[in-house]
Amino acid sequence: MSAEKTITNFLLLPEIKIIKHERIGISDNLYTCVKVPKQEYCPHCASGKYWVHEYRWVKVKDEPVRGKQINLKIRKRRLKCKSCSKTFNEPIPGILPRKRFTQRFKRSLLWACKNYRDLKKVRRAYRCSNDFIYKALYETLNLNLKHKLSYAWPSVIGIDEHAFGRSVKARKTRFVTMLVDFKNKRPMELVEGRSGRDLWGSLQHIPGRENVQWVALDLCDPYKKFINEFFPNAQMVADKFHVLRLLNHHIMRRRKEITGNRASWKARKLLLMSNKNLKWNEARALWKYLEDFPELKEVYAFKESLHSLYRTRGYKRACKAFTKLTDRMALSKLKEIQTLRKTLVKWRNEILNYFKTRITNARTEGFNHVAKLLKRNAFGFKSFPNYRLRVLNASL
Ligand SMILES: [Zn+2]
């Protein structure tokens, strides 16, 4: 194969022959080409007989090579059908009708949208308008999603919320709710808002609500109410991590009252860690320190009891341990312990369900993290539908 032919094959589309190459500026290349004539058929009547009506020049964008822009100026025929005397354009493989870019260009653009840090960089590299990128990207994402989302509810799901942005008008933070399919390990749906009404409206179209057996959630009342109404056969599991950190805030507050500031005392972290994970000398120092502050010690001891509750094996044993713990809490005079007791009693079944299933909401939190990263990379999203498409198409 001659060098010219190799280059032509590499650079150009099939059925196109190169005539001239010009360089425009530093990085623009213009290839003047002609479409190789081929037997065509009339799109109106499928007749194969025609004459050439006229020649036309079209300019299309092709995929950049080594950072250099490539434009093709192609001469193609406009044909006139002999039997129905309607005119039609000669199609060029690799370019859709009425488009001024090749399919290769679009594919490469989508790759860049996925891999570049933000869409502004894509715009610079591919030298096309914002509108073009947005349209190409979100159309494709929407199409991908349609293939993915056409299935019913699985047996185990997780539900959680995260902040989406601030609503300037209402002057408050907007929230979105993420539902994660634990079985297939992927985000199921993203809903704007976190109230029962928002969720009902956006989730009703998914079939198979009765399939859902287990739902992992944080200690969040609106979700609890919604799940009870929406999934008839579902039981809830309160997330272990969220139960364990219920007292952390109070421990920190009390410690701040003692030391006067946030950071000075080095055992700050030790207080929040599970006592079991401390080294023996650290644990000893900590208990010694706590001797001087009985109230902090009491809160700390209850936090440790929560940790040891989660180390229990078996549902029945956990039930017993749970009752013991709440009974002990009832004797305490501290306000935060009473609040905690109320919360625990209210969520008793959900917390104890963990010992049946060992489900946590970690996967949902993981996808939340992915969503937050996407949001930061894009410097925030204005449109919720676009955000939803990006998150649901993102893979871990
Ligand atoms: Zn015809």
Side-chain angles (χ1 to χ4, degrees):
M1 209 191 279
S2 71
E4 193 200 331
K5 212 170 175 189
T6 316
I7 290 173
T8 313
N9 278 350
F10 172 64
L11 282 176
L12 295 175
L13 297 165
E15 297 181 23
I16 280 181
K17 208 176 126 198
I18 188 165
I19 331 176
K20 205 172 99 189
H21 168 232
E22 287 165 75
R23 186 163 287 165
I24 299 165
I26 312 165
S27 65
D28 268 30
N29 288 288
L30 181 69
Y31 289 90
T32 311
C33 349
V34 288
K35 163 91 170 66
V36 181
K38 219 185 100 196
Q39 171 65 45
E40 302 296 345
Y41 295 94
C42 168
H44 308 289
C45 68
S47 152
K49 289 188 177 143
Y50 49 80
W51 55 69
V52 178
H53 184 60
E54 60 178 341
Y55 286 96
R56 280 194 173 178
W57 288 98
V58 286
K59 206 173 154 191
V60 284
K61 258 187 174 175
D62 202 358
E63 187 185 352
V65 176
R66 290 189 208 119
K68 308 268 189 248
Q69 301 296 315
I70 293 190
N71 290 306
L72 307 175
K73 197 177 159 194
I74 307 171
R75 193 186 75 169
K76 61 176 191 177
R77 299 176 298 168
R78 191 162 169 79
L79 308 168
K80 190 162 192 166
C81 175
K82 274 186 185 172
S83 58
C84 71
S85 67
K86 280 178 183 159
T87 49
F88 61 95
N89 278 321
E90 192 176 41
I92 304 174
I95 305 173
L96 291 180
R98 288 186 295 280
K99 297 286 186 231
R100 290 291 169 261
F101 53 87
T102 62
Q103 289 295 89
R104 210 155 56 174
F105 178 77
K106 195 176 171 185
R107 209 164 52 219
S108 163
L109 186 84
L110 292 174
W111 176 87
C113 287
K114 207 172 155 192
N115 291 291
Y116 281 30
R117 209 187 63 205
D118 55 79
L119 294 185
K120 208 170 168 185
K121 290 214 158 47
V122 180
R123 194 181 69 197
R124 269 188 218 142
Y126 284 76
R127 294 222 215 131
C128 44
S129 69
N130 263 340
D131 281 357
F132 178 77
I133 297 178
Y134 274 76
K135 215 177 146 193
L137 175 64
Y138 289 114
E139 260 177 20
T140 317
L141 290 183
N142 208 354
L143 214 66
N144 289 348
L145 206 61
K146 271 185 189 156
H147 293 298
K148 273 189 187 172
L149 278 192
S150 55
Y151 78 100
W153 288 103
S155 54
V156 186
I157 61 167
I159 184 167
D160 199 9
E161 58 168 26
H162 63 267
F164 168 56
R166 272 187 78 78
S167 159
V168 182
K169 234 181 188 176
R171 300 199 178 173
K172 58 182 180 187
T173 313
R174 291 155 76 196
F175 281 93
V176 290
T177 304
M178 168 118 68
L179 290 113
V180 173
D181 171 0
F182 278 23
K183 210 177 152 206
N184 299 303
K185 301 175 186 171
R186 55 173 216 78
M188 180 100 194
E189 186 57 275
L190 203 66
V191 179
E192 192 171 13
R194 50 179 173 172
S195 68
R197 207 175 62 185
D198 298 328
L199 291 163
W200 267 96
S202 315
L203 297 174
Q204 253 172 342
H205 67 279
I206 306 177
R209 273 194 264 163
E210 60 286 347
N211 297 348
V212 180
Q213 302 283 326
W214 295 105
V215 184
L217 76 164
D218 308 345
L219 305 172
C220 169
D221 290 320
Y223 287 155
K224 191 176 175 182
K225 193 167 163 254
F226 164 75
I227 291 162
N228 272 332
E229 289 166 4
F230 194 77
F231 300 111
N233 300 326
Q235 293 196 58
M236 283 169 266
V237 185
D239 183 43
K240 174 185 164 185
F241 178 73
H242 283 85
V243 175
L244 285 180
R245 57 180 265 192
L246 281 172
L247 277 178
N248 285 4
H249 166 73
H250 297 292
I251 290 180
M252 281 296 102
R253 186 174 52 81
R254 289 205 176 265
R255 187 193 61 77
K256 243 186 304 182
E257 279 169 14
I258 295 164
T259 54
N261 72 31
R262 276 164 156 247
S264 70
W265 193 46
K266 71 170 184 179
R268 187 167 78 101
K269 208 175 158 192
L270 302 185
L271 274 172
L272 296 186
M273 277 169 76
S274 172
N275 203 293
K276 222 184 169 198
N277 297 336
L278 298 181
K279 287 176 191 153
W280 71 270
N281 53 343
E282 287 170 344
R284 199 180 58 175
L286 192 64
W287 283 116
K288 207 174 165 191
Y289 171 84
L290 288 171
E291 285 302 318
D292 302 338
F293 310 104
E295 289 190 341
L296 178 62
K297 190 183 170 188
E298 193 179 339
V299 182
Y300 180 79
F302 276 117
K303 190 211 78 174
E304 280 310 308
S305 315
L306 274 181
H307 277 270
S308 68
L309 170 70
Y310 270 96
R311 283 196 293 269
T312 318
R313 294 269 156 187
Y315 179 70
K316 275 183 189 163
R317 264 188 244 166
C319 284
K320 269 184 203 160
F322 190 92
T323 317
K324 252 187 205 170
L325 179 62
T326 44
D327 288 352
R328 248 172 54 219
M329 278 177 173
L331 299 174
S332 168
K333 286 190 178 68
L334 296 177
K335 212 173 141 195
E336 57 259 45
I337 301 298
Q338 290 309 324
T339 324
L340 174 71
R341 187 175 172 272
K342 263 184 209 161
T343 317
L344 290 184
V345 170
K346 195 172 159 195
W347 289 85
R348 183 190 159 93
N349 290 336
E350 289 78 14
I351 293 172
L352 288 173
N353 273 343
Y354 167 79
F355 298 94
K356 277 185 193 165
T357 58
R358 303 259 146 195
I359 293 170
T360 69
N361 216 0
R363 194 174 294 285
T364 319
E365 302 290 342
F367 278 109
N368 262 348
H369 186 67
V370 172
K372 276 177 198 164
L373 278 182
L374 270 174
K375 213 165 50 184
R376 281 196 78 103
N377 265 350
F379 300 108
F381 281 84
K382 274 184 185 163
S383 141
F384 174 74
N386 287 353
Y387 178 58
R388 174 178 167 268
L389 283 177
R390 285 296 282 272
V391 173
L392 293 184
N393 274 289
S395 51
L396 264 183

